[in-house]
Amino acid sequence: MITDAELHKSMCTQYVQKNDRLFYLKGTRIGRKTVSVVREQYLRTDICCHSPLCKRCDHSFSNNFLSKDAIQYIIPTADLLDKYFEVFNQPGIEGIIVLQTVAAAVKTKSGYKAHNKLKDLLKDDRRGSVYFSNELYRETFVDRNTAKSKDTWIKRLILTAYKWFQEHLESFKLILLIDDHDSVEEWQCTCKEIFYTRSLNVMHFHEYLTCFHSSLIPNYDSLKSSLEKEQSGGEALYSIHLSEDDIKLGINQGIYVSGILNVNKRRAADTAFIKLHQNQGSVLPPDSKILIKGAINRNRAIHGDTVAVRLFSQSEWEQKRDNEGLVPTGEVVGVVDRPSREYVAVFPEFGGGANTNRAEKVLVVPFDIRIPKIRISTHLADELRNHRILVSVDQWDKESQYPSGHFISTLGPVGHIETETKTILLGYALLSLPFSKAQLAELPNQDWQVCPEEVSKRRDLRQSHLIYSVDPVGCEDIDDALSIRKKKNGNFELGIHIADVSYFVKPGSLVDKEALSRATTVYLADRRYDMLPSVLSSNVCSLWSEVDRYAVSVLCELDQDCNLLKVWYGRTVIRSAYKLTYEVAQAIADGCNTDTITNEIKELQNVDHVKVKERLVELRESVCHLMHVARKLHKKRQLAGALELEGTEVKIMIRNTGEDVTVEEILPKQPLEIHETIAECMIYANYLVAKKIYEVFPSCSLLRCHPLPTSDRFEQLLSCASAKGLRIDTSSNKTLSQSLENYEKDCRDTDLLKVLRRLSVYAMKNALYFSTGSLSTEQEFYHYGLALDFYTHFTSPIRRYADLMVHRMLLSAVGDTYESFTFGPDTVEQACRHINEKNLASKFAQTDSSELFQAMYFMNLEHEMKTTMDVLVTEIRDNGLTVFTPKYGLQGMLYLRDKDGKVAQPQPGQQDVSIAFGEGDLECHKDHVIVTYKGGRYQIYLLDHLLVKVDVDMPRAHKPSFVFSLLKCSPLKLYEVLQLKESQVDRKDPPVDTENSMQLVLGGYQQSAANVEYSQSPVQNSLYWLVTKLRAMSLKPSPR
């Protein structure tokens, strides 16, 4: 924790402490032999106290300081800090002086994981806590020979450092904190032996918390109770875990295998899998999955643990569901590593009256259904009964059914939007503290402007290029802008201009380290959490219009068939002319009414009418050129096998009054050609940059691959397609793309096509960042979805750390970098693994946030028509069907058999009108189900349309889920689906303002004057309504 600068500066002020010791060696040929060992300890005289109150020390090399707002400084002992670190880590406790002696003792006792957590606390300047190298400082050094035992020596070191701080800071209050089991009298006696005085302000930790941080008493009591080993005396429920040495030996000999435990969400109580990362000398191939059946075989392992597993004999392996092969099974014999995790949980809904003066044992229920209940000790159970709380697991004894843990903090009342948002973020380890003062101090001011000296080093595009950005409505973190020029020879010069974040965020800076830690901006349904401070993400780096900004540009010349002729990479200075939204850019390309468009482009406000027309003509020509080039580029990729994979994207319209949050509407996002245009330009830039950095750095380039899916991942897609008589060739991305494209040409059921594309996405593996030095062949670099040999992410450095790393690599590759930046294969690969984890977590958090607000929407709906919808069957389950609604992108269970074994059937005499559960039988086949009941039977196939009602299951402890109820036993015909959609069209005319402006609402057109006149309208009796009605009638079978 001492910087090189501090060390070099102190070379002239070092003292050498020599330590002679005699060792007697036995077993030598000449008998006993005495060896003298001399150890030299270099002592310094310039280590500062880190206190902002001190005027005597030189703080010029200090990275952090003690809190200036603290009313006292505290020095904890090693045992105390090790046992109660999580209490010290709570906000509020400031001014902690961690001695070198204490930190070393914590590392020795609890390992690197505890030591790293301590380092993280000290790095956070918001905590006002420091590390003091007392064993390297001449005034606080204590010779090891002066103490008989190591414990006595450590105690002398702590007391010596305490007395030095006490005298150095004079009147400022200093407290020595000790564990409650330690004796104050004993510490004071030791102090008197050394310094001939009992002048020692020593306190037990509980007393200190009571006096200064009473709100943390519950944390202390819960953790203390968890650390005290219970004397159960009962029978062992689980097997003993093997030691670390036994596990390593067993893995090396092929007796055991190791992997990460992944608990099944649907059957969390009894089903989990271990995925092997490598062969490890076992009989199983790499990437195999081992089934862990039942809690006993799981043997106290928790979801996310790295475990060692003993495989059962093949006679005990389980048959796969399709009877095509066996699933290996086994049991956990030891936990190799358990990540330090905090879990969101709730108290039981009903409990006995707790004695608030005494802690009681309570089983709390984690939010994540894959985590077992956790036993904690607290006296807050009644007070926080309806709150979500944060807990941690400490141990799991073999005699106990549940793990033991402790209470950390409360998040807030269950159901409050802030509480639920924190729950989502904490569940994926994405909750970050605000940026610190030290981090913000590295950044420019809000009124930053370009520097003439810096501009002279860059290519100036401000006058030569028409540059503009195209983004969603309300976007503030504008990463990219585009330009295109048609040359006299017919060639195009395409420019992709990306914010130069690397200029402001230097490698190894505090902001850089924080950005790497976050790895990505997290977008939720109602907010975002930036990777970079807002001064960068929303201002200085963001490519706003009509201001000068630094960029890293890719300028490529393309011929008329969009073949690449030449490309230039480098730092530029640009001035974006327009900040367009997708809808406005599309309207410009479509040639919409000039006045309507002008009102939506702020850069054209207060501009002469004649000049407005000229500028719009110029802008439209540029946008049309972009679209033309993007079509050609896309066609090239499509011919190479690029996939058209789409999901159902919806925009959630939220009204936040400050006191209450309501979801007003859920709207499907309108696909526009301009979306594909911008995406295609970004893909092309990423491809070119990937080739360039790999050319220069073949062993350590950061690229992005999309691994080929295995054939078994397409089973669900093929089963669904087969049920409808469709043939899909999944042998390659090109054949898959052609199959879907051929079906699209003759497709009358657009919803079915959406589901097929969605199932294709499900079959894919996740795209991953990787270091080129970590893969053996270039074939592994391939991006399956985009059909590109090389790919990376370069175009969003404001919100993705991978892009920032790629910027540094590109600038180093073209010799346009100002600072020396070295990166090796291991460093890049380590960063890639971290970024991949954060990206996946961010994706899951975004999905959970969207589902939370969708659940709120459907729970508050009063109109029954809106909860009645058409769904498609995507999977056959043991007790029903998995269904998907294309309109809202929701997926959930449709139960055909309830817990009592009764099946869904129409009530007698009310066929397809009223559904109830009664006696009957459910047969599940690969592509259909048959329900037989007294009086009839019905069949439902994969990809059938069904009429259902959606309900929300909002459990108190867990995340919401959508449950569908069958309203009609027979599948819907296509004409019935169209009629249902028509009946659900909102009959109210959309608002049109008095100035006939184009009303753009969060990603889609609302009706404007131009839209009402020229576009397809959903209003009844319109031409569009009539055509839709005629189409439905044509599909309806004629009566016999």
Side-chain angles (χ1 to χ4, degrees), residues 13 234 279 299 306 372 522 569 655 718 725 760 786 822 864 884 899 902 925 996:
T13 58
N279 199 351
N299 194 10
T306 300
V522 180
Y569 311 89
R655 180 166 57 86
L718 295 175
S760 299
L786 299 177
T822 57
E864 190 170 338
F884 173 76
K899 295 179 180 179
K902 297 179 179 181
H925 299 272
N996 297 327

Side-chain angles (χ1 to χ4, degrees), residues 215-228:
S215 62
L216 297 180
I217 292 293
N219 303 62
Y220 172 83
D221 289 341
S222 181
L223 183 53
K224 181 181 179 182
S225 177
S226 176
L227 294 173
E228 292 173 351

Side-chain angles (χ1 to χ4, degrees), residues 627-839:
M627 286 184 164
H628 170 75
V629 168
R631 291 187 201 111
K632 296 256 185 181
L633 294 174
H634 179 70
K635 189 64 177 177
K636 288 176 180 288
R637 285 197 309 106
Q638 197 172 32
L639 291 174
L643 296 171
E644 298 280 349
L645 301 178
E646 60 184 35
T648 302
E649 289 191 67
V650 296
K651 184 62 186 179
I652 301 173
M653 310 276 292
I654 300 169
R655 180 166 57 86
N656 191 340
T657 62
E659 298 179 357
D660 188 30
V661 176
T662 57
V663 181
E664 296 184 330
E665 189 59 87
I666 298 177
L667 301 172
K669 288 187 177 179
Q670 300 297 324
L672 303 172
E673 185 184 359
I674 193 67
H675 290 138
E676 296 181 5
T677 298
I678 303 304
E680 198 62 48
C681 292
M682 298 303 121
I683 290 170
Y684 193 58
N686 290 333
Y687 164 70
L688 293 176
V689 169
K691 290 187 68 176
K692 183 63 180 178
I693 61 175
Y694 179 66
E695 176 187 317
V696 180
F697 304 113
S699 65
C700 58
S701 290
L702 189 156
L703 300 186
R704 186 167 175 83
C705 68
H706 189 197
L708 276 64
T710 53
S711 58
D712 62 298
R713 298 177 71 97
F714 285 110
E715 287 180 2
Q716 189 179 0
L717 170 65
L718 295 175
S719 296
C720 288
S722 176
K724 291 299 178 185
L726 303 176
R727 183 181 177 279
I728 295 181
D729 186 349
T730 61
S731 58
S732 70
N733 54 354
K734 189 170 185 177
T735 57
L736 175 59
S737 177
Q738 288 174 345
S739 298
L740 294 173
E741 189 177 349
N742 291 337
Y743 176 65
E744 185 176 6
K745 293 176 182 177
D746 304 321
C747 176
R748 295 189 299 171
D749 190 347
T750 55
D751 287 344
L752 192 148
L753 180 63
K754 284 182 180 179
V755 172
L756 288 176
R757 292 196 184 280
R758 179 184 175 90
L759 293 175
S760 299
V761 173
Y762 282 172
M764 304 297 160
K765 296 181 179 180
N766 290 318
L768 300 169
Y769 297 109
F770 69 97
S771 169
T772 49
S774 66
L775 299 182
S776 55
T777 64
E778 290 187 4
Q779 284 73 25
E780 296 177 88
F781 298 179
Y782 187 66
H783 197 292
Y784 180 86
L786 299 177
L788 293 173
D789 294 331
F790 296 92
Y791 193 66
T792 191
H793 273 165
F794 158 77
T795 55
S796 296
I798 290 178
R799 58 188 179 90
R800 293 191 302 235
Y801 191 81
D803 301 53
L804 177 55
M805 292 182 67
V806 169
H807 272 234
R808 291 168 179 163
M809 292 179 181
L810 176 65
L811 294 172
S812 294
V814 299
D816 196 0
T817 185
Y818 305 151
E819 64 278 331
S820 58
F821 175 59
T822 57
F823 35 82
D826 293 340
T827 304
V828 176
E829 182 59 26
Q830 185 178 1
C832 287
R833 284 196 295 268
H834 171 72
I835 295 170
N836 287 332
E837 290 174 3
K838 287 291 185 180
N839 280 353

